Amino acid sequence: MEPISMGIAVGVATALTGLFTTFPKLYCEFQECCEDEWVKLNLTGLKMDLDNKLFGQHIAKQVVLKAVKGFFTNTNPEKPLVLSLHGWAGTGKNLISKILAENIYTNGLQSAYVHQFISTLHFPHPEYLSHYKEQLQKWIRGNVSACAKSMFIFDEMDKIHPGLIDAIKPYLEYYDNIDGVVYRKAIFIFLSNAGGERITEIALDFWHKGSKREEIQLKDLDSKLSIGVFNNKNSGFWHTSLIDCNVIDYFVPLLPLEYKHVKLCVKEELVARGYEADEEIITAVADEMTYFPENEKIYSDKGCKTVATKVDFYL
């Protein structure tokens, strides 16, 4: 670049930087920032997405919608919103976190204010537990300082090292601020397979009694789920202070999915790709899935997790 052109470019950049600094609202017109233009709950969109994309999870829909609506209605919450989603793979845990991100942040999961942690990727070595704790605290503190409305998603909580998650307990408590940083407007979401077995036992018990799936209520699962997860030595929640001190606002159970729910997942996958809802393909994919228990064969053992891959085969 010629010296004159370089000088003009630098001058323009400097001018724009000064302009955006002087008028931050103008900056938010062009770049993501922690303001309502970019971070705001779309309640109508959230309800619609939960209704149209999350199948067989009446309890999770009710709890998530109520929890998030209440949290955003309160302009001065006493603590961060903390949700813990539990259920077997493919039941909708990651889907819920995706739907939440997309209906709160304009950029969805790609937002600079949405942070995802995968235990086997970010915290793989137990011998570095102390280092991970310190690193995690710094990461959360730094990101909440940048945007009070940050979202943190912790995936594979059943594989995280016990004790690690206790490091963030102070940030989930009822503190006005910690060292000048306000965490009360942040959202923390934990995803875990832990508790899936207990949830299935209760769902199966209802089925054996001839009760409808939709008759299962949160109260039938809540305490059993939290106690079971707390005492599960293979869970990152094992004897955690997060449960012991009641900083998790809602334990959200995701029920195992039945054949009819798998068909709905296949239909949604086809429509999302721009194809017609071909009943032959829908039935063929659903029939390929394996179901349990061995005798009754009620629930899909992978939920809807492999639906997208199986749909590929028929297109």
Side-chain angles (χ1 to χ4, degrees):
M1 184 180 286
E2 294 296 325
I4 294 177
S5 300
M6 177 71 79
I8 293 174
V10 172
V12 170
T14 303
L16 286 174
T17 301
L19 186 62
F20 289 151
T21 303
T22 306
F23 302 102
K25 286 291 183 182
L26 181 60
Y27 174 82
C28 294
E29 291 290 330
F30 299 93
Q31 291 290 330
E32 182 182 28
C33 59
C34 192
E35 299 293 341
D36 285 351
E37 293 91 339
W38 296 87
V39 185
K40 186 178 183 180
L41 174 63
N42 177 1
L43 186 61
T44 302
L46 175 60
K47 186 178 186 307
M48 187 179 298
D49 283 348
L50 289 173
D51 286 339
N52 296 335
K53 298 178 181 179
L54 183 66
F55 306 117
Q57 304 297 354
H58 65 284
I59 299 174
K61 286 181 184 179
Q62 293 168 4
V63 175
V64 169
L65 193 63
K66 178 182 177 182
V68 175
K69 179 182 178 181
F71 182 70
F72 276 89
T73 300
N74 186 351
T75 56
N76 189 31
E78 294 183 346
K79 67 180 293 297
L81 176 62
V82 186
L83 303 175
S84 191
L85 279 55
H86 297 264
W88 291 130
T91 52
K93 300 184 298 294
N94 281 287
L95 177 60
I96 290 176
S97 61
K98 180 176 182 287
I99 288 173
L100 284 173
E102 289 177 345
N103 285 285
I104 295 174
Y105 304 89
T106 300
N107 289 343
L109 289 173
Q110 304 308 313
S111 170
Y113 309 126
V114 176
H115 313 281
Q116 300 182 76
F117 300 92
I118 301 172
S119 63
T120 51
L121 175 65
H122 294 102
F123 316 111
H125 307 294
E127 61 269 27
Y128 297 141
L129 185 59
S130 296
H131 172 69
Y132 291 151
K133 285 184 177 182
E134 183 181 349
Q135 193 177 47
L136 187 56
Q137 288 176 337
K138 287 182 178 179
W139 183 254
I140 291 176
R141 183 166 57 246
N143 282 292
V144 174
S145 297
C147 180
K149 301 174 185 177
S150 292
M151 175 183 286
F152 300 91
I153 302 169
F154 292 84
D155 199 359
E156 299 183 343
M157 277 298 299
D158 47 303
K159 298 174 183 175
I160 204 167
H161 308 298
L164 173 57
I165 207 64
D166 286 339
I168 70 169
K169 174 182 169 288
Y171 308 141
L172 312 184
E173 286 274 18
Y174 292 83
Y175 294 122
D176 183 63
N177 71 82
I178 300 176
D179 295 330
V181 180
V182 176
Y183 297 87
R184 293 178 286 110
K185 293 185 178 182
I187 300 174
F188 292 82
I189 303 174
F190 301 113
L191 313 179
S192 177
N193 289 351
E197 185 174 342
R198 187 65 180 131
I199 294 169
T200 299
E201 287 175 2
I202 294 171
L204 197 56
D205 186 49
F206 269 75
W207 187 86
H208 282 140
K209 290 177 181 177
S211 300
K212 293 181 179 179
R213 177 191 184 92
E214 290 72 24
E215 292 178 18
I216 305 174
Q217 300 179 39
L218 181 62
K219 65 181 181 180
D220 298 315
L221 293 155
D222 191 39
S223 61
K224 298 181 181 69
L225 180 58
S226 60
I227 292 171
V229 171
F230 183 77
N231 291 318
N232 185 345
K233 290 186 177 181
N234 296 317
S235 167
F237 284 124
W238 182 63
H239 286 192
T240 176
S241 59
L242 270 63
I243 296 177
D244 202 29
C245 297
N246 299 306
V247 297
I248 296 176
D249 299 303
Y250 295 95
F251 285 90
V252 184
L254 283 99
L255 303 173
L257 299 182
E258 300 173 14
Y259 180 82
K260 62 182 179 182
H261 303 126
V262 174
K263 291 186 72 174
L264 289 172
C265 288
V266 180
K267 180 180 178 181
E268 168 63 20
E269 182 66 24
L270 287 170
V271 173
R273 296 190 190 192
Y275 293 95
E276 291 185 7
D278 188 311
E279 189 59 37
E280 287 188 12
I281 294 178
I282 292 172
T283 301
V285 173
D287 287 347
E288 276 192 27
M289 306 293 276
T290 53
Y291 297 84
F292 73 96
E294 186 175 352
N295 295 325
E296 297 91 338
K297 296 189 182 304
I298 307 167
Y299 306 120
S300 168
D301 63 358
K302 293 184 179 68
C304 285
K305 188 160 188 164
T306 59
V307 161
T309 304
K310 291 184 180 297
V311 165
D312 289 338
F313 181 79
Y314 292 93
L315 297 179

